[in-house]
Each structure stands twice: as structure tokens, then as C-alpha cells.
Amino acid sequence: MCFRMTSYKKSQEEYSRDVYEAFQAIAVSSDMIHMRRHGHLLEETMMTTSSQIQRYSVSEYTVGSQIEGSTTIGMKSDIDILQINDAYQVVLELGVWRTGKRNILAFKDETTPPQFYKLCRLIPTPDGRQDYLTVSVSDTDVVEKGRVLISNTMFDKDAELRSEQLVQSKMVKHGPSRSHTDKMDLVSAFPCNDFPEECESLLKRPRPGHWPKPDTLKYARKFPVFFIPQGHPHSELNERNLQWRLSTSLTERALMFDFTEVQMLVYILLKMLKIENIKPQFEDNFSTFHIKTAMMFTIEKYPPDIWRIDNIVACATYCIDTLIQFTQDKIFPHFTMSGVNLFDGKLSEPGIKKLEATLTDLNNNIIMYISNLKMDRFGKRVLQKERDHKNKQKHRIEIIKTITSSNKSALSLIIRKIYSHTNNVDLNTAVQYVKNILTYLRGLQTHGSTHGFTQQCETADLMLPFVYGILANIQASGFIDLRLPTKLYKLSFEGDLMSGKLKYASMLYCSDQYDPAADMLNHCESLVGPDADHFCECFKREYECPSEKYIENNLNTNIGKLIKTSSTFCVKFCKHEIPCVPTHLRYEMYRTQTQSDKKYRNIFHQWMDLVVIDCVPFLYYLQYLVYRQTGDISRCMLAMFNLMDYICDSVDPSVTTGEDGQLNRVFFCKIKGHVDTALHVLAHCWELENRPDVSWELYKHSVSMFPTNNIAWVHLIGLFRKYFII
């Protein structure tokens, strides 16, 4: 095959090695691809576990480039989430009723194109079989020929409501995706555990046999297929709204996970070329999915020994050859389904001819096109043979930072949901609920260890300490067990750097055990350092991403260990733990006081019904209270000044001049967790020091930053009545 070599004279093998090194320089390597996959699979497992614990009928799967690892920082890929409604089960023929589910029949008629189905609702019959439902149950249902058909717009209303609650704006539509942000594609779907006839070709069609391997096919076959709410673009509108597209996303994901490192690099290279040179002409009519499908057919067709580092460029041309062949045939087959033409509804015959010409030019001049890639400065990196270790490190840090933050967010969200549910039930129900979760997580841990499910083990290991902490505090509150649950507390210490330890110290303080409380707080203080990352996912109180220094110091640490040994989460208490909370801090549970407050809350503000405070200010506040009780005044004041320093680092002071010429200091909040609560406990310290004037100013700063759902208003009224009414 002939290449235009540009002015840079080198062999194709040398150039391929330079391409490989350029990928290494932007942290696209086997270890980082594994890091992306592991991180997103762990997050997916945590979210699935959360749904099972909460008994929600929803599962979420991450699909696409982020979890495949087939992306770069410069590609700015979004997150693709498949949200499955597990309350439903799609069947492909009338038969035995699937108990515990709402059964749906997928069928085709004369109007449905390949890969598309219609869905109708079913009801159980007395003999345990299925029959058609004849009366609609949703305002989006359509009754046709005595059957209730489900419109593919059925999820839109919930998606619009979710967008309004999250960002107070309209939802973002991308094809079947209904999301609140451009950074995420969220697609709702129905699951089907039956393997449709058109998917059998994946298992039965003739192939050389080296890929996919029989074990890979067996594994890929285990996954359910899904019905996506999307109609064929060329169907009439009334028909299009009743059509659902068959998706094999998890099967395709399993196949992508079987790519070798070089195959992944070739695929990513082709994606970069597509984005810069093909997308401007064809937009989404020629998509990443076309590239992925061509890659799979190419890997299946060509022998495995060609996929070498020194052959990356040639392998890219083989894949483009596959694409060109599809354009010449005017048929772009689907890899996992027979009878599907991926050009259908995307490109007309003139468009296919134009694509063929574009691909042919790309293939004939591929080195020139690679050399001109601007994304991630890739072309320059190839030509300049960039081996900058510092730059590679920077890319690695950015990737790990993003993955670590998303996993912390998932874990924190799950724990907050457990707290919220515990907070909304009576004491006995709460105890049983927490014990049930412990039983479930221990079972998950055992099952994961036995069957080699790494993410299940990690999820259980991450969650268990926080759940132990809830149960320990409830028992220590004196309602359940008069004995001190020391063993449970110790188990809770492993959740993160110190939130479990601080809850233990808080219990010791509230039960007048000041000396052991001081010892535990001294230990916690030794853990506070520049390498710790303080994280919070509470709605409207989020932290920034961890610092580069934090990630750099933990580059070779796995996500679970990073969370346990170098991170802190905000400390939470539900109503059943109140006896273990310092008296002044208990007020935080009642921040919603007025109708106006309620108006500014939604379902994502449930944390406001808990006592929530960040670890560092809680540490200093507890130290102040404990040392005040022990009479150690110097340490008491040091703790208060440490708390003041923390708050000064959490808000930006700005000095302005008033109408009378006086200098006014205005505080603006950074995104640093629960700074309002930190201000409140500092105000309490100053009140105990007989300085209500300082307390007054601190509460005023708090309400200036958060005018609604802020208990500072109540504290201001209390101060006014106590000190300022003459």
C-alpha cells in the first residue's frame, strides 16, 4: 500500500512507533485504559448496589468510550448511561408470565424496519400465561388493533422533571438520550433476557475463529438486550413514535473489552481522524459506532499477528479498507445483528459515494492526516517524537482525578441515601434496615470473592464501614443497647481518613468521656495534611476536584485504597444518632423553617434533613468543646483559631466602601462544602467566649451566602433575644 510520506521521511514502521509513543505521551496506554474501565465498572456496581439496597427497579450501565477507555482528554467524550427499568421485562413471544415483572411483548409488523420493534403491554391470565392488555395505563399509550402500544415518548415527562430539579432548565436531547447536561447521554430502556433471532448471527455466522474467541462469545451472550426509545428517522411520525430500537450495548461492551492494546490504539486513532476530517462533512450521519463496527469486522477478518506497535498505521488502513468496502456495497452491516444496514436512515446514495471518496483520500494520505491532527496536539507529538514524561504525568493525573472524583461521588451519594432513608423511619425500622444492608453487603463481599467479581468486593468494602458507623451510633444513643458498641465503631474507622473516627469522638464527648475523646481527636489531627482530599456530594455544596498534588502523590494507589486512606467525606448524623451530636450542631437538622425555605428545596436536598458537617471544621469544633471541658485553655483557643483559619480559606473576603465612607467586609463563598455549618459552630465558640457580637457577624455572613434553608436565621433571633433586647 502506497503512502504520501510528507516531508518527514521515515518508514511506516518507524512512524507507527512514533504514533504509539504519542499515545503514551497523552496517557493512552494499557494501564490507563484498564484504570478507566475499572473505575467506571466500580461506579456502575456501586450505583446498582444502591438501587438494590433501596429496592428501586432501576439499573444503570455505563457504555461507550469512557468505560471502554477509547478516548483522550482532548476528545472530551461524554458519559453514556443506559438506565434500565427493571420493573419491566420484554418477551419476544406470548408464553408463561414472568412473575414479579410487568410483561411487555416486542413484535414486528409491516411498518417496522430492521432493528426496530413495537412494544405492547401484557396481562397475566388465570392459567399463568399472558394476554394482551386492552386498556391504556399511561397518557402516552396508543390502543391499536386491540393492543395497548407503548409510545417511545413515555420517559420524556420524567426526564423533563429531573432536568428542572437538577439545573432548573430544559432537558438536553441527543437522539434517544434525555439528560440534564451536555456532558452525559442518559438513555432509558426496557430489558429483554431473550436473545432475538437477528442476534443469533453473532454466534452462528462463519468466521476465521481467532476473534471473537468462543469464551468471549459465550460471555457476551450472557448480557440482556435492550429496547431503546427511538424510532426510525424515515418512518411516518405516528409510526416513529411507536417504534423501539433493539440495542446490544452490553454485548458490544464485552467485545470491546476483548480488544488488545494495539487494537484500542488503532480504534482511538480512527476516532480522532473521524472527528477532525469526516464529522465536519457528515456530522452524526457517520458516527463513532460506524468506526467501532468496522473495527470489529476488521479484527475478525485479519490475522491476530498484524496487531503490533510497529504496524499501527497499516492496521488503521485495513479498517478504512473495510469501511470503503461497505460504501462500495452500499450496505454497512451490524456486527451483532443480521439484516441491519447502518447506512439506512443516515446516508443516501450520493452521501455514501461522497463518504467513499473521503475515506479513499484518507487512506491514501493517512500519514499526512495523522500528522495534521490537532486534538491533544497529537500530530505534533508524532512528528516531534515527544517523550515528555512531565506532560504524560499531567495527562495521567487529569484522568485519575476525574475517575476518582466520580467514584467518590457515587459512594457518597449511596451513603447519603442510606442516611436519608434511616432518617425517615422509626427507630426499630431504622435498626432493622441498617442490619439488612449489612447482611446484603457481607453477602456481596462473599459472592464477589468466590466468583472473582472484583467490583462487588470493592463496593462492599467501601460501603460497609459507613454502615457500621450508623449502627454503632444508633446503638450508642442508648435506645437499643446500653453497652458501648466499640467493635462496630472500630469497623467504621476504615471508611475514609477520619469521618468514622470523628463520629466516635463525638459520641465520647456527648457521654462525658473527655480524655479518650481528646486522644481520638489528636489522632485525627495527625491525619490532616496537604495530601488529604476533602469531598462532599451534597447538592449545592459540592467540592472542587482533588488537587493535582493529591493525585500525583497517589498515582499508583487503587481507587478503593485512595478513598480509604487519603480522602474524607462530610460527617452525617440521622435523627436516631442525635444523642451522639453536640447540642449546638443538632440545630442543623432543622434548617428548613419556612414555606419559602421549602420552595427552594427539591428531592436532591434530602441531606438538609440530616446533621451534616465537613471533617476538618468538625475536628476543630470538637477539640474546642473537649478542651474547654478539660480546662486546657491554650489547646481550646488553638482549636478555635484553626477553625477560623479553615473558614478564611473557605470564603473570599472582599472589602467595599459604604455610603458613609466606612469600609465594609463582604464574604463570598467558595465551593467548599458546608462552610455555612462551619460558620455556625465557630459562632458558637465565640458565644461561649462571651463575644456575641462576633457570633452575630458570623451568622450574618452565613445567611448572606445561603439566604434560604439556613438555621443561622434562628441563631440570629436567639442571639438578639438573649443579648440585644434591653
Side-chain angles (χ1 to χ4, degrees), residues 303-323:
D305 58 0
I306 69 166
W307 303 97
R308 304 185 311 272
I309 291 172
D310 64 351
N311 208 35
I312 288 175
V313 175
C315 290
T317 65
Y318 301 152
C319 188
I320 298 173
D321 284 339
T322 302
L323 289 166

Side-chain angles (χ1 to χ4, degrees), residues 397-450:
I397 288 170
E398 188 63 32
I399 293 166
I400 295 172
K401 185 194 297 187
T402 303
I403 294 171
T404 303
S405 291
S406 64
N407 274 271
K408 288 179 182 177
S409 182
L411 176 60
S412 186
L413 181 64
I414 295 166
I415 301 305
R416 195 261 295 158
K417 286 182 177 178
I418 295 173
Y419 273 103
S420 295
H421 182 83
T422 307
N423 203 53
N424 292 328
V425 296
D426 63 63
L427 180 62
N428 291 329
T429 305
V431 171
Q432 191 57 53
Y433 172 70
V434 174
K435 287 183 176 179
N436 289 343
I437 292 175
L438 287 174
T439 301
Y440 176 82
L441 290 176
R442 289 178 189 132
L444 194 69
Q445 201 172 41
T446 302
H447 182 264
S449 299
T450 304

Side-chain angles (χ1 to χ4, degrees), residues 537-666:
E537 60 78 36
C538 295
F539 191 60
K540 299 299 184 183
R541 294 289 193 280
E542 298 88 351
Y543 273 113
E544 296 173 336
C545 286
S547 67
E548 288 191 8
K549 188 70 176 174
Y550 166 78
I551 296 297
E552 191 173 359
N553 291 341
N554 295 281
L555 271 177
N556 299 316
T557 306
N558 68 49
I559 294 171
K561 188 176 180 182
L562 194 64
I563 290 173
K564 287 173 173 286
T565 61
S566 303
S567 310
T568 67
F569 295 92
C570 51
V571 186
K572 300 178 179 70
F573 298 91
C574 71
K575 66 184 181 183
H576 304 300
E577 302 172 83
I578 281 297
C580 297
V581 182
T583 304
H584 189 79
L585 193 55
R586 297 174 190 177
Y587 285 97
E588 296 297 316
M589 191 173 285
Y590 308 102
R591 64 177 68 232
T592 302
Q593 292 282 323
T594 67
Q595 289 301 317
S596 177
D597 286 339
K598 292 178 181 178
K599 188 173 69 173
Y600 284 96
R601 283 188 55 169
N602 58 46
I603 59 172
F604 303 101
H605 283 108
Q606 288 179 332
W607 63 266
M608 290 185 174
D609 295 322
L610 306 169
V611 172
V612 188
I613 185 170
D614 299 306
C615 279
V616 175
F618 193 33
L619 164 66
Y620 296 141
Y621 179 55
L622 284 175
Q623 283 183 323
Y624 173 85
L625 296 176
V626 168
Y627 291 134
R628 196 169 189 274
Q629 291 294 331
T630 61
D632 194 336
I633 302 304
S634 60
R635 287 190 174 186
C636 178
M637 297 310 295
L638 177 61
M640 188 172 76
F641 290 133
N642 284 336
L643 181 54
M644 290 172 63
D645 288 342
Y646 171 87
I647 290 172
C648 287
D649 188 48
S650 303
V651 295
D652 288 325
S654 175
V655 178
T656 59
T657 304
E659 293 180 1
D660 56 359
Q662 294 290 324
L663 294 180
N664 299 321
R665 175 167 289 188
V666 181

Side-chain angles (χ1 to χ4, degrees), residues 19-34:
V19 169
Y20 177 81
E21 292 298 334
F23 274 123
Q24 299 299 300
I26 60 173
V28 180
S29 55
S30 58
D31 63 325
M32 294 311 295
I33 289 170
H34 175 75

Side-chain angles (χ1 to χ4, degrees), residues 37 96 131 148 291 387 395 449 508:
R37 291 177 180 176
V96 177
D131 200 357
V148 178
I291 300 287
R387 307 290 188 270
H395 278 73
S449 299
L508 292 173

Side-chain angles (χ1 to χ4, degrees), residues 424-537:
N424 292 328
V425 296
D426 63 63
L427 180 62
N428 291 329
T429 305
V431 171
Q432 191 57 53
Y433 172 70
V434 174
K435 287 183 176 179
N436 289 343
I437 292 175
L438 287 174
T439 301
Y440 176 82
L441 290 176
R442 289 178 189 132
L444 194 69
Q445 201 172 41
T446 302
H447 182 264
S449 299
T450 304
H451 296 89
F453 296 142
T454 306
Q455 283 78 27
Q456 284 190 359
C457 287
E458 282 191 73
T459 295
D461 288 343
L462 288 169
M463 290 179 63
L464 275 168
F466 294 97
V467 184
Y468 283 129
I470 299 173
L471 186 59
N473 246 14
I474 293 176
Q475 290 189 356
S477 295
F479 295 105
I480 304 299
D481 192 340
L482 296 177
R483 295 170 298 168
L484 191 65
T486 307
K487 184 178 179 181
L488 285 175
Y489 272 117
K490 287 183 177 179
L491 290 170
S492 76
F493 293 170
E494 302 301 319
D496 65 355
L497 202 58
M498 60 177 165
S499 66
K501 301 177 182 72
L502 288 173
K503 293 188 78 167
Y504 179 59
S506 181
M507 180 277 298
L508 292 173
Y509 165 76
C510 292
S511 57
D512 301 332
Q513 301 179 70
Y514 303 124
D515 289 335
D519 291 340
M520 177 55 71
L521 292 170
N522 287 336
H523 173 60
C524 288
E525 188 173 22
S526 71
L527 302 175
V528 178
D531 294 342
D533 176 56
H534 308 289
F535 186 84
C536 174
E537 60 78 36

